[in-house]
Amino acid sequence: MSATPLQGHEAVLNVIRTRRAVRNFTPEPVSADLVRRVIDAGRWASSASNRRLHRFLVVRDPVRLRLTKSLSPGLRANPPALIVICTDLDRAEREGVRIEKDATTWIDVGTAAMNMMNAAHALGLGTCPVTAFSRSGLRVIFDLPPTVRAELILMLGHPAKATGKAPGTIVERINLDDVIDWEYPGGVEEG
């Protein structure tokens, strides 16, 4: 018996509501199978004009993890794995994308990251995005070809016990009706 659309919606919404940025990880490695499942969710993210410009670099080597941390002020934790979302510049050129002027490439990075963060949470893993890092430093550490550019680092691992709110605790959010405007002017509510 399959779930009804409403049950499916509630399951997805529960993952979205309970996912948190995780900055404390256990040293337990993340299996290749789990990493692949997380990246598969990124692969299914929306992409402007369905261009699919991204590559996903998996980092689990302890030496490279330490080196990456030394070049990434935003990486304050010690995750057992990183997924670096990169842009394939050759593919972008073939698709006619002006990479420095097309904001959709950043939106695509964000949708891929969010899909992966939600998938990781559903698998019992924790994630946290990192945007403060040295691109040139990562190029050297990972021996990236000039046609691949690092855009975002996603920390990935098994969450350690938190000292604050329990992982998955639903935090009070702004009321839904306080953030919806139904067509301007006048704010006529749809029924």
Side-chain angles (χ1 to χ4, degrees):
M1 177 179 252
S2 63
T4 68
L6 188 56
Q7 289 169 325
H9 171 265
E10 287 304 313
V12 169
L13 197 55
N14 186 57
V15 168
I16 293 168
R17 285 179 179 152
T18 59
R19 186 210 48 80
R20 298 287 173 266
V22 174
R23 293 176 181 88
N24 295 306
F25 300 92
T26 70
E28 180 183 353
V30 180
S31 72
D33 177 60
L34 289 176
V35 171
R36 290 177 64 82
R37 288 172 186 255
V38 169
I39 292 174
D40 193 33
R43 180 176 69 99
W44 282 100
S46 60
S47 173
S49 299
N50 204 25
R51 294 184 300 225
R52 311 282 166 201
L53 302 179
H54 297 112
R55 308 277 313 162
F56 302 95
L57 173 65
V58 179
V59 182
R60 297 188 298 176
D61 173 62
V63 172
R64 285 194 168 147
L65 289 169
R66 279 193 305 277
L67 288 170
T68 303
K69 186 174 181 177
S70 73
L71 298 170
S72 307
L75 205 166
R76 296 188 185 127
N78 293 306
L82 301 172
I83 299 172
V84 184
I85 302 175
C86 300
T87 298
D88 181 332
L89 300 174
D90 275 347
R91 183 168 178 95
E93 185 177 341
R94 284 193 308 273
E95 294 287 335
V97 176
R98 293 176 35 192
I99 207 76
E100 299 303 331
K101 296 185 184 239
D102 189 339
T104 62
T105 59
W106 274 102
I107 294 167
D108 291 353
V109 168
T111 59
M114 194 75 251
N115 268 21
M116 291 191 294
M117 293 166 70
N118 284 328
H121 177 58
L123 292 166
L125 299 170
T127 59
C128 186
V130 177
T131 57
F133 57 85
S134 166
R135 265 195 185 140
S136 59
L138 294 188
R139 179 167 303 291
V140 172
I141 292 170
F142 303 133
D143 195 25
L144 293 176
T147 58
V148 174
R149 182 173 80 180
E151 305 287 5
L152 181 141
I153 299 171
L154 189 62
M155 293 188 269
L156 179 67
H158 298 274
K161 294 227 182 234
T163 55
K165 292 183 190 247
T169 300
I170 297 176
V171 176
E172 195 62 36
R173 298 287 178 173
I174 296 171
N175 184 298
L176 180 61
D177 291 326
D178 292 339
V179 297
I180 297 175
D181 294 310
W182 296 98
E183 300 182 25
Y184 290 104
V188 177
E189 186 173 332
E190 288 189 4

